[in-house]
Amino acid sequence: MAVQSLQEFLAASKEKDASPEAFELENPHLLEVRVDGLVWAKAGAMVARKGNVKFTRQGVLEQGLGNLLKKAVSGEGMQLMKMEGEGRVYLADAGKKITLLRLAGEAIFVNGNDVLAIEAGIDNKITMMRRVAGMLSGGLFNVRLSGHGIVAITSHYQPLTLPVNAQTGPVFTDPNATVAWSGGLSPEIVADISLGTLFGRGSGESVQLKFAGDGWVVVQPYEEVVLQAKE
């Protein structure tokens, strides 16, 4: 890259105001949120802010008893923070690529670690897969997002969407590389010792997610092992 003058660098890296939306990508790895009321964001994701914005962690009553029980069983959880007031907040998550999706009544499932921010009109509910006991370290809990509004999800590098239908048959994915899938799919956890050297790491037994039906699944070119949260 050519050497830039200070003025060239400041001009090239300054914040954009190209969109009237509440969520705007400043670059593929940095999200600007225009807070005017309430927005939910991943705890610890703020890198800068302007204006009068108050931050509070998601409360016990707001999470719901079902979500709390699932967090207790899994030993992990999607820790959200509430951003309230009026101002601008800049979010990022370990340099991961950010994708903005507008939901118009649809439902999607997202890996809990890959939810960066959601507008107030989006309902979030933690879901857990069957056969959860001790099979995976980071890919067991996911979040069902539904309603009307914009959600920001993250992935390591450029994600790939694979169609799931009767013609192509089921799709099998590495849980640690699975980012999201359509709301009509219910993945199963399956194990295949013979594929232990191809899928997954750290175990001779391959644990995979099996997607069958009609929909889609998003994967990333990276196996992200999520450490258990410490309360």
Side-chain angles (χ1 to χ4, degrees):
M1 180 181 293
V3 176
Q4 295 176 300
S5 70
L6 178 57
Q7 289 71 27
E8 288 171 334
F9 167 74
L10 295 176
S13 61
K14 70 178 181 180
E15 64 178 342
K16 306 175 183 66
D17 280 314
S19 170
E21 300 283 1
F23 289 12
E24 180 177 10
L25 289 177
E26 293 295 330
N27 61 55
H29 315 284
L30 186 63
L31 173 67
E32 178 194 76
V33 178
R34 299 184 181 98
V35 180
D36 185 10
L38 168 64
V39 175
W40 293 99
K42 184 175 184 176
M46 187 198 79
V47 297
R49 69 179 177 89
K50 297 190 294 188
N52 185 22
V53 181
K54 179 183 177 183
F55 300 87
T56 54
R57 283 185 177 257
Q58 187 179 35
V60 171
L61 295 179
E62 292 167 320
Q63 296 180 54
L65 180 59
N67 277 0
L68 285 176
L69 290 175
K70 289 168 185 173
K71 284 187 179 184
V73 170
S74 65
E76 54 186 295
M78 179 185 67
Q79 187 67 253
L80 292 177
M81 62 181 177
K82 189 190 301 184
M83 306 190 302
E84 296 178 284
E86 186 174 352
R88 300 191 181 199
V89 181
Y90 302 86
L91 305 174
D93 184 9
K96 293 165 66 175
K97 177 180 172 60
I98 302 169
T99 299
L100 300 181
L101 303 174
R102 185 188 302 278
L103 299 185
E106 303 99 333
I108 64 173
F109 290 92
V110 182
N111 184 296
N113 195 51
D114 295 326
V115 177
L116 181 62
I118 55 179
E119 287 193 300
I122 300 294
D123 181 62
N124 73 88
K125 180 181 179 182
I126 294 176
T127 65
M128 292 187 71
M129 299 178 193
R130 289 169 288 182
R131 298 176 58 192
V132 298
M135 295 189 70
L136 295 172
S137 62
L140 290 177
F141 95 98
N142 301 279
V143 184
R144 183 181 188 271
L145 301 176
S146 61
H148 292 78
I150 300 175
V151 302
I153 66 174
T154 60
S155 63
H156 285 278
Y157 311 107
Q158 183 69 30
L160 171 69
T161 298
L162 299 172
V164 179
N165 53 58
Q167 289 72 34
T168 60
V171 174
F172 296 84
T173 68
D174 183 329
N176 294 324
T178 306
V179 175
W181 60 89
S182 50
L185 296 181
S186 297
E188 298 180 44
I189 295 179
V190 298
D192 187 341
I193 296 176
S194 65
L195 290 178
T197 58
L198 182 62
F199 276 83
R201 297 177 181 174
S203 172
E205 181 178 65
S206 169
V207 177
Q208 305 144 45
L209 298 182
K210 177 184 177 182
F211 293 87
D214 187 16
W216 46 264
V217 57
V218 178
V219 295
Q220 63 184 3
Y222 184 91
E223 294 179 48
E224 181 175 24
V225 178
V226 181
L227 298 177
Q228 291 186 345
K230 295 181 180 180
E231 296 297 336

